[in-house]
Amino acid sequence: MNLDLLTVDSARTAVLEKETTATALVDGFYKKIEAEDGAIGAYLTLSKDRAYRQAARIDALADKGDDLPPLAGVPVAIKDVFTTKDVRTTAGSKILADFVAPYDATVVSRLEDAGAIILGKTNCDEFAMGSSNENSAFHPVRNPHDRSRVPGGSSGGSAAAIAAGTAVASLGSDTGGSIRQPAAFCGVVGLMPTYGRVSRYGLIAFASSLDHPGPFGKSVKDAAMMLQAIAGRDPLDSTTADVPVPNYREQIGQPVTGMKVGVPLEYFEEGIDLEVSTAVQFGIQELRNAGAEIVPISLPHTPYAIPTYYVIATAEASSNLARYDGVRYGLRAGDGKTLSEMYRRTRDAGFGAEVKRRIMLGTYVLSAGYYDAYYLKAQRVRSLLARDFDEAFAKVDVIITPTTPTPAFRLGEKADDPLAMYLADIFTVTADLAGIPGISIPCGKSKDGLPIGMQILGKHFDEATVLRFAHVAEHALAGKL
Ligand code: GLN
């Protein structure tokens, strides 16, 4: 069986129809990971005991001839920011290098309830802060399309594992673009659901009002099936919404005739790589050919999105990360003479440079005297950015933009220039600030063979329409990439 060709559906069908067993699939994927992941670095921890236990459960169901749950036997990978009982969870940080959580994140238990098999935990930027995966305290991830380049971040391991064929599907988290941007760089599909659609219980917090858990897959259908398993109200996360979860699979194959695509002109102007804008325009053209109407729109507050995001995200991070103090979780560096000395030593040794930079920035914008000038002002601009989307969505069904201004950059290229790194998030942060759903799908390749991503954004809780458009575009582009 060619593991590279497996999809969510075909993995389940192969187990259901006894062409293979879940245990044999797990064996096959671990062999592949052991042979190939050294060159990519997508995994931080393999959860073999857990994977084989789940595989045995699925095989027993198949032996009984029972119908299998929707993700039965599907080998998946989990970004290492979601807690997993009895399997270490590091958030890519030294401060949690040996941390084993006593409970599972809701998304993890939902995937297992749906029959998925968790192969392991994937590498990421420390506490999900980054756009290149170079901020992992352990090792960087390399882009499977060109190993001298980054896979994107912060969910770089989860995207690279799909592109390298070392998992069929995976989970990531998107706070400012961390699902969509690595999906674009690695040539896979990455879906950020609406804020409140998927539980954050057990997600190690970066910026609580912006963190969105979501899936990666090889296809739009795979991403839809993963979303189906994890979406919906969770009594353990009071910010999840009690909005009915539709059958996403039914959207796959529905036409978009007569529906409207908004294209924000300012997203195709300054600073964007010509190959990227050409490929995205080509994808838009395919949707026009499929019967959609293209409507020029404007999102006028976009130029303020990056500073707004980096004020709000760092403010929330500085508060969330206060819990790592050498007492409650993970690392304690020496005892120190006083309690505050112990805190200082632990945080100094445990956090990397980017995390420290953000704690300082966040503490500053929240401090007395600066709170109104920075934090409060950023919250006001956030409302304006959300209003831009509300006004646009009064006229169109979805909005299409490039996912990133350039294809994957080289390892080290932006590592010493945090501002250049932050600017790479220009097309993704706006949707996080507004809390709307978005997907990145492959829409072409640069002349160097690097994947290019097209972003489709939708209305709150309307992942269904996003998936419908994404599937039509994917289908139309098939064979042309
Ligand atoms: N690149 C952005 C940042 O560094 C987004 C990260 C994310 O979405 N987790 O904050």
Side-chain angles (χ1 to χ4, degrees):
M1 176 168 296
N2 185 345
L3 299 184
D4 287 338
L5 300 179
L6 275 185
T7 63
V8 168
D9 253 351
S10 69
R12 176 178 176 276
T13 307
V15 175
L16 183 70
E17 295 181 352
K18 302 234 164 43
E19 286 160 43
T20 185
T21 61
T23 306
L25 284 182
V26 174
D27 277 338
F29 274 91
Y30 281 135
K31 278 209 190 86
K32 201 162 162 30
I33 292 169
E34 269 142 35
E36 296 169 23
D37 194 53
I40 301 294
Y43 283 92
L44 288 176
T45 307
L46 300 179
S47 45
K48 291 193 175 175
D49 287 352
R50 198 168 167 155
Y52 280 109
R53 234 182 300 132
Q54 172 79 339
R57 183 176 87 86
I58 300 298
D59 287 335
L61 285 179
D63 281 345
K64 270 201 286 171
D66 289 358
D67 191 23
L68 297 180
L71 301 181
V74 179
V76 301
I78 309 288
K79 183 180 183 182
D80 208 14
V81 290
F82 294 103
T83 58
T84 39
K85 189 171 179 335
D86 301 332
V87 175
R88 88 175 172 146
T89 300
T90 68
S93 181
K94 252 207 272 183
I95 213 160
L96 291 177
D98 300 313
F99 175 65
V100 178
Y103 65 95
D104 280 332
T106 295
V107 288
V108 167
S109 50
R110 286 190 179 178
L111 282 181
E112 276 191 342
D113 289 348
I117 298 174
I118 293 168
L119 294 173
K121 308 293 290 290
T122 52
N123 203 348
C124 55
D125 284 304
E126 186 175 5
F127 288 103
M129 298 175 187
S131 311
S132 68
N133 220 113
E134 292 163 295
N135 297 336
S136 163
F138 302 97
H139 48 82
V141 178
R142 292 174 181 275
N143 191 319
H145 293 270
D146 174 349
R147 291 185 196 158
S148 69
R149 293 180 188 265
V150 304
S154 60
S155 316
S158 287
I162 310 293
T166 49
V168 171
S170 60
L171 281 189
S173 61
D174 194 313
T175 304
S178 282
I179 291 177
R180 292 159 290 152
Q181 186 253 22
F185 281 9
C186 290
V188 302
V189 174
L191 172 62
M192 175 181 72
T194 310
Y195 186 82
R197 180 56 105 184
V198 176
S199 172
R200 289 181 295 111
Y201 180 74
L203 166 62
I204 293 181
F206 162 11
S208 308
S209 79
L210 294 160
D211 295 342
H212 303 68
F216 289 93
K218 287 178 197 160
S219 66
V220 174
K221 185 171 162 196
D222 282 6
M225 291 179 73
M226 289 284 284
L227 177 63
Q228 197 80 55
I230 59 174
R233 166 100 186 121
D234 176 12
L236 298 172
D237 173 0
S238 62
T239 61
T240 52
D242 212 355
V243 177
V245 179
N247 183 337
Y248 294 118
R249 206 178 164 148
E250 281 173 3
Q251 299 302 316
I252 306 297
Q254 296 295 322
V256 295
T257 327
M259 296 176 83
K260 293 196 173 103
V261 175
V263 178
L265 300 175
E266 54 270 66
Y267 281 51
F268 290 85
E269 288 162 1
E270 261 166 87
I272 176 166
D273 186 290
L274 191 60
E275 288 185 302
V276 172
S277 67
T278 309
V280 176
Q281 293 287 7
F282 185 72
I284 293 170
Q285 193 58 44
E286 292 290 343
L287 285 166
R288 188 204 304 261
N289 297 343
E293 187 188 332
I294 311 301
V295 181
I297 56 159
S298 173
L299 299 168
H301 293 93
T302 303
Y304 308 109
I306 293 280
T308 304
Y309 168 79
Y310 279 93
V311 169
I312 294 174
T314 56
E316 292 186 19
S318 71
S319 157
N320 275 323
L321 269 56
R323 73 190 69 173
Y324 305 102
D325 56 6
V327 178
R328 283 171 285 191
Y329 306 93
L331 180 80
R332 172 182 295 189
D335 275 337
K337 283 200 216 62
T338 61
L339 186 61
S340 54
E341 192 181 328
M342 190 279 287
Y343 288 165
R344 266 202 310 277
R345 283 194 192 173
T346 299
R347 291 164 70 80
D348 184 36
F351 289 138
E354 181 62 25
V355 172
K356 286 177 184 159
R357 180 181 297 121
R358 294 191 188 204
I359 292 173
M360 287 191 286
L361 208 59
T363 308
Y364 178 79
V365 300
L366 287 176
S367 58
Y370 294 106
Y371 181 92
D372 289 1
Y374 294 108
Y375 183 72
L376 212 60
K377 189 170 281 170
Q379 291 293 11
R380 295 209 174 102
V381 182
R382 183 179 190 171
S383 302
L384 295 176
L385 285 156
R387 201 181 302 158
D388 281 357
F389 281 117
D390 288 344
E391 285 169 9
F393 281 126
K395 292 181 265 179
V396 298
D397 297 291
V398 292
I399 293 173
I400 296 192
T401 78
T403 309
T404 56
T406 65
F409 44 89
R410 290 189 190 283
L411 275 128
E413 190 177 321
K414 297 183 199 276
D416 299 326
D417 187 352
L419 202 57
M421 192 76 96
Y422 296 173
L423 290 172
D425 299 335
I426 178 72
F427 300 140
T428 49
V429 293
T430 48
D432 295 273
L433 288 161
I436 57 173
I439 198 168
S440 177
I441 62 167
C443 74
K445 286 215 163 127
S446 72
K447 60 179 180 327
D448 296 332
L450 299 171
I452 294 172
M454 171 165 106
Q455 169 170 252
I456 307 177
L457 302 172
K459 299 175 189 172
H460 285 116
F461 297 102
D462 195 12
E463 291 82 4
T465 302
V466 171
L467 289 164
R468 176 195 282 227
F469 272 90
H471 183 261
V472 170
E474 177 184 57
H475 192 72
L477 288 163
K480 298 181 190 164
L481 300 188

